[in-house]
Amino acid sequence: MSGKSGHRAWGHIKKQRTKTASYQASFIGPDQRRHYAPHTFSARMNAEAWLVREKDLIESATRTGERWKPPSERVQERKAEVLLFGTYGKKVIDQRKLSPRTRIEYEAKWSALIEPTFGKVPVADMTPTAVRGWFSGLDQTKERRNSHAYGVLNMICNTAVKDGLLERNPCMITGAMNTKAKENVKIPTTAELHAIADKLGASENQGRFKALVVLAGWCGLRYGEVSELRRKDITPDCSVVTITRAVGHRGGECILGPTKTGETRSVTIPPHIRQDVKDHLASYVGKDSDALLFTPSRGGCHLNDRVFNKDVFQKAAKAVGREDLSAHDLRRFAGSKNAQVATLTENMARLGHKAVKASLLYQHSQSGRDAEIAADLSTQALRELGV
């Protein structure tokens, strides 16, 4: 009997004789009666998952001494108490293990874009048609935001399938979580980047931002990483910057944590900007090892990204004829310049992209290539600057 199709160590799965794939799952409960899933499953793996959850419930009841409830009884209880998607979705986000910054992003997308539409809809009534209607009604000019919101909804619906509340995930829009790369993005040239930095450096009030521009531009730091840099993160000879942390601000709250990928990286600073970093440390940074490299002029814990971009960077960029730039283009500049002198793996390592495998990162850090890349960047920059 043990070799017969459909028989397992625990529970039973039977493939139904239907045109489309359909599987019925059942098991013998503690009451020695056979209990069936409240619905059939379109995939065998979903039937397997249901049986695993049922076995866990039985074992939990045995450990705690609580009365075990058959699946049919629990279904009736759920019908008597309709579970709304608003209640369920919030609970899923609350229980999910997320970094503080990611949690704030999830909650923001939930409260602004998902809950207003689906909050009062029963979980069981979530359908592909409803999801398509919701997604098509979002502001199409905000593609990246919409993609993130769809990702949150997809995560919640996947959890509902695992919990046995939905037979299948209603999020079926192809490509909804993949945003298209922007076309014709114009990154600054080397001369323009240094012109912006020099413009800031010549200002009595904004001179401390010159080093921020060249560090972010030539080392590829994210804004949350560069604004959290401290004296201890720069080697005494200003040849290497180590990125271990990042900061963000949402709803007036300062969120300090690991980098976006959760990994630490050390990036060799190109020789042609090391003097700028040394001058900055001498003129603007406290002697304590924890002193921030870049402090806000109006108080607060860190430089505000929106304020820096609008009131500092974009004004300087406009002054050199590049009003189309934003502070985020500093990272694009880094990626573009790295690509001219480094391999894809080396470029991704400098930028801190998680796709780079740990073994490749180790080889990269031990081979000395990062120092060579930094030197090549300086050689190229000096040539482009006509120095």
Side-chain angles (χ1 to χ4, degrees):
M1 275 309 270
S2 61
K4 190 176 179 180
S5 176
H7 282 261
R8 308 154 28 84
W10 191 88
H12 181 82
I13 296 175
K14 179 181 179 181
K15 191 175 188 302
Q16 303 291 82
R17 295 181 178 179
T18 54
K19 291 183 179 179
T20 58
S22 179
Y23 297 86
Q24 181 188 68
S26 65
F27 64 91
I28 302 297
D31 55 1
Q32 300 305 309
R33 295 175 58 188
R34 181 167 294 279
H35 298 275
Y36 295 87
H39 53 74
T40 57
F41 300 90
S42 58
R44 186 181 185 89
M45 61 183 295
N46 292 336
E48 295 270 4
W50 181 81
L51 285 172
V52 170
R53 289 193 298 273
E54 291 299 320
K55 189 175 182 181
D56 286 344
L57 289 174
I58 293 173
E59 292 177 350
S60 177
T62 301
R63 286 194 308 270
T64 62
E66 296 180 1
R67 186 179 76 84
W68 172 75
K69 296 180 181 180
S72 58
E73 182 178 338
R74 282 181 271 125
V75 168
Q76 293 303 317
E77 289 179 349
R78 284 199 293 268
K79 287 181 178 179
E81 183 180 325
V82 175
L83 181 60
L84 298 181
F85 196 77
T87 302
Y88 180 76
K90 186 177 186 307
K91 184 178 180 181
V92 169
I93 294 175
D94 289 344
Q95 293 178 341
R96 194 169 183 84
K97 186 177 181 180
L98 302 168
S99 70
R101 281 180 293 165
T102 302
R103 182 169 300 283
I104 287 177
E105 290 296 328
Y106 273 42
E107 290 174 348
K109 298 300 185 295
W110 166 260
S111 61
L113 302 174
I114 303 173
E115 197 275 338
T117 298
F118 295 118
K120 296 183 178 180
V121 175
V123 175
D125 290 347
M126 293 291 292
T127 64
T129 301
V131 172
R132 283 195 299 272
W134 163 77
F135 192 71
S136 66
L138 297 178
D139 185 346
Q140 297 304 304
T141 64
K142 299 179 178 179
E143 183 181 5
R144 187 173 180 83
R145 183 207 64 172
N146 298 348
S147 172
H148 289 173
Y150 186 90
V152 174
L153 180 64
N154 180 67
M155 178 274 293
I156 295 171
C157 290
N158 265 336
T159 306
V161 172
K162 294 176 182 176
D163 286 346
L165 301 174
L166 287 171
E167 181 179 351
R168 61 176 182 170
N169 190 334
C171 297
M172 300 180 177
I173 304 174
T174 303
M177 288 186 286
N178 300 321
T179 56
K180 297 179 181 178
K182 292 184 178 180
E183 298 180 358
N184 302 320
V185 174
K186 296 180 180 179
I187 63 172
T189 64
T190 300
E192 288 169 340
L193 179 115
H194 281 271
I196 293 170
D198 291 340
K199 178 72 177 177
L200 295 172
S203 169
E204 182 177 351
N205 296 326
Q206 299 180 340
R208 67 190 187 282
F209 297 129
K210 177 179 180 178
L212 190 155
V213 170
V214 295
L215 262 178
W218 286 104
C219 295
L221 278 67
R222 299 176 178 90
Y223 185 83
E225 296 170 345
V226 73
S227 58
E228 170 49 25
L229 284 179
R230 299 174 186 268
R231 179 178 281 274
K232 64 185 178 183
D233 299 320
I234 307 290
T235 55
D237 62 351
C238 294
S239 63
V240 176
V241 56
T242 300
I243 303 101
T244 63
R245 305 168 309 282
V247 68
H249 297 86
R250 294 292 184 275
E253 181 183 0
C254 176
I255 307 165
L256 182 62
T259 62
K260 185 176 181 179
T261 60
E263 298 173 351
T264 293
R265 69 187 189 277
S266 292
V267 177
T268 303
I269 300 172
H272 75 285
I273 67 168
R274 291 177 189 173
Q275 190 59 50
D276 291 323
V277 179
K278 291 177 182 178
D279 293 343
H280 178 82
L281 290 171
S283 301
Y284 300 107
V285 183
K287 299 301 182 182
D288 188 86
S289 63
D290 279 324
L292 282 170
L293 260 62
F294 307 104
T295 55
S297 58
R298 300 177 183 176
C301 56
H302 296 81
L303 285 174
N304 182 281
D305 56 342
R306 294 181 178 87
V307 173
F308 171 78
N309 185 53
K310 180 180 178 182
D311 296 345
V312 178
F313 183 84
Q314 288 187 329
K315 287 183 178 180
K318 184 176 181 180
V320 301
R322 288 304 307 269
E323 61 273 8
D324 58 321
L325 295 177
S326 72
H328 183 70
D329 292 313
L330 294 173
R331 188 163 161 82
R332 291 194 178 102
F333 173 87
S336 173
K337 291 302 177 185
N338 292 343
Q340 294 176 22
V341 297
T343 66
L344 175 62
T345 298
E346 292 165 339
N347 188 2
M348 295 176 75
R350 283 182 69 86
L351 294 175
H353 284 164
K354 199 169 185 177
V356 181
K357 301 296 183 182
S359 59
L360 293 179
L361 278 173
Y362 178 78
Q363 291 177 342
H364 171 71
S365 64
Q366 296 297 317
S367 68
R369 274 292 293 156
D370 196 48
E372 295 177 22
I373 293 167
D376 288 344
L377 287 171
S378 283
T379 299
Q380 183 183 86
L382 295 173
R383 183 171 61 249
E384 293 175 355
L385 291 170
V387 178

